Amino acid sequence: MNKIKNIGVLTSGGDAPGMNAAIRAVVRAAIYYDLKVTGVLRGFEGLVHGDFIEMDRKSVANIIQRGGTILKTARSDAFRTPEGREQAYQQLLKHNIDGLVVIGGDGTFTGANLFASEFNFPIVGLPGTIDNDLQGTDFTIGYDTAINTVINAVDKIRDTAESHDRLFIVEVMGRDSGLIALRSGIGVGAEAILIPETNMGVDGLINRLENGRKDKASKIIVVAEGDEMGAFNVGEVLKKRFPNYDIRVSILGHIQRGGRPSCMDRVLASRLGVAAVEGLVSGSSGVMVGQVNRELVFTPFDHAIKHIDAQEVSPAWLKLVEILSL
């Protein structure tokens, strides 16, 4: 065991189901290895201002099933500045914190990577984002719950679409990643899926509708929020091209972030949380811990964030969508 005696843990960026399970795993793993653990409230903003709480077994009792994050999360303009990061570093020294576990997405890891390099401070990250847009892990914490939330919602929309012979355009989250749209679209049997990673565009969508089944009055089109057209623009174009269709647009929004995490997300968060503590103890820093082909892997922050090596959608998935949408 190295010099790590007190581990800080924070959640940053958008909340994701399973973050609480990850916090629980970090706290209990730290206690198992006879380490102190300190919770940082409101992410990097709390780090700058020293908004810390001491955590123990009771702190994380009965939270594995809860959505959101008990440590809360917030944007931090102060942490973007050298002065703010210096203040955060002094807070860590003041409270005798030797290492950090940060739970979040690419923005979180960008900030953590900069901080770790500036102050040579040990940090290990956990991939907590519904977008599944990080390299170095097959799935991010929260992604499985989010796509199941989408499926449950669209199944209900399908009921009313069938009842009224309507075409529904459903927009899902994911920022500039279409992976939520892709998997949930396949799962709900969507007639078409528009994602930023492909170039189908509205012309391709029109072609598919014109040459698709004519005996199916109700249709579901899933659109990723990062698609260049956007759900409402797609709706306007289709209304002009197909005036006989009864077209509705539904934006699922933030319900995709909330709710009880699925079993998969709880188990993934638990496994990665323990691995993060063990990584810090063994001297790892500046890395994200993920799961690839069921094995734990540590990926440097600058390779994990999506702008460095954007995740591509396999042509096999796109062919699957084409086959199943007939």
Side-chain angles (χ1 to χ4, degrees):
M1 186 177 295
N2 67 6
K3 63 180 182 179
I4 301 292
K5 295 181 180 179
N6 185 357
I7 292 177
V9 57
L10 63 83
T11 52
S12 178
D15 61 300
M19 278 186 165
N20 282 327
I23 295 167
R24 173 181 179 269
V26 169
V27 170
R28 295 199 169 179
I31 294 170
Y32 178 86
Y33 287 107
D34 199 27
L35 306 173
K36 290 182 64 177
V37 60
T38 300
V40 181
L41 299 177
R42 299 178 297 111
F44 291 131
E45 184 71 3
L47 196 64
V48 171
H49 297 289
D51 198 359
F52 300 162
I53 56 171
E54 187 174 340
M55 303 189 77
D56 56 20
R57 290 178 179 86
K58 289 185 178 179
S59 304
V60 293
N62 199 32
I63 68 167
I64 193 171
Q65 79 281 8
R66 290 171 56 184
T69 163
I70 63 168
L71 292 178
K72 301 190 179 297
T73 179
R75 295 184 182 276
S76 179
D77 291 331
F79 194 78
R80 297 175 185 272
T81 68
E83 296 79 10
R85 293 191 295 274
E86 173 65 31
Q87 187 175 336
Y89 179 64
Q90 293 303 322
Q91 293 286 4
L92 291 170
L93 295 181
K94 177 181 176 181
H95 291 84
N96 299 312
I97 297 174
D98 309 307
L100 275 177
V101 173
V102 298
I103 307 168
D106 64 319
T108 299
F109 296 158
T110 299
N113 191 41
L114 180 59
F115 186 83
S117 61
E118 284 180 337
F119 300 101
N120 192 29
F121 195 85
I123 303 181
V124 172
L126 293 184
T129 168
I130 66 170
D131 300 335
N132 202 40
D133 57 357
L134 296 168
Q135 297 294 307
T137 189
D138 290 332
F139 300 106
T140 57
I141 298 165
Y143 175 63
D144 184 67
T145 305
I147 59 177
N148 278 287
T149 297
V150 171
I151 285 176
N152 289 334
V154 178
D155 282 349
K156 293 178 174 65
I157 289 173
R158 175 78 78 173
D159 290 341
T160 193
E162 289 282 351
S163 299
H164 294 273
D165 291 339
R166 285 175 175 161
L167 184 155
F168 267 88
I169 302 164
V170 182
E171 183 178 286
V172 301
M173 280 183 158
R175 290 201 297 178
D176 49 359
S177 170
L179 296 183
I180 292 177
L182 180 64
R183 284 187 180 255
S184 62
I186 293 172
V188 300
E191 278 65 42
I193 305 169
L194 299 184
I195 58 177
E197 292 88 348
T198 66
N199 59 357
M200 172 187 279
V202 72
D203 291 335
L205 176 59
I206 290 173
N207 181 65
R208 180 165 294 183
L209 292 174
E210 286 180 332
N211 296 290
R213 287 173 54 185
K214 300 297 188 294
D215 61 335
K216 190 175 183 182
S218 68
K219 294 178 174 63
I220 299 291
I221 298 169
V222 175
V223 180
E225 65 177 344
D227 184 77
E228 62 179 359
M229 283 293 293
F232 282 109
N233 288 333
V234 170
E236 289 302 314
V237 171
L238 293 187
K239 285 177 184 178
K240 293 178 181 178
R241 182 63 183 82
F242 302 101
N244 58 313
Y245 280 9
D246 187 0
I247 298 174
R248 297 288 189 275
V249 176
S250 181
I251 310 296
L252 295 189
H254 285 77
I255 67 166
Q256 295 159 85
R257 280 192 185 172
R260 292 172 176 260
S262 65
C263 180
M264 177 177 169
D265 276 329
R266 298 183 198 195
V267 174
L268 179 65
S270 299
R271 189 182 189 200
L272 299 187
V274 171
V277 172
E278 292 177 340
L280 279 175
V281 167
S282 64
S284 295
S285 181
V287 295
M288 180 198 80
V289 58
Q291 180 175 284
V292 177
N293 295 327
R294 302 182 182 180
E295 298 295 328
L296 292 172
V297 297
F298 288 85
T299 302
F301 283 142
D302 57 357
H303 291 296
I305 56 179
K306 66 177 183 294
H307 352 274
I308 301 299
D309 185 15
Q311 186 159 301
E312 296 180 355
V313 174
S314 167
W317 284 102
L318 301 179
K319 184 176 181 181
L320 180 64
V321 173
E322 182 179 358
I323 291 172
L324 296 177
S325 63
L326 293 176

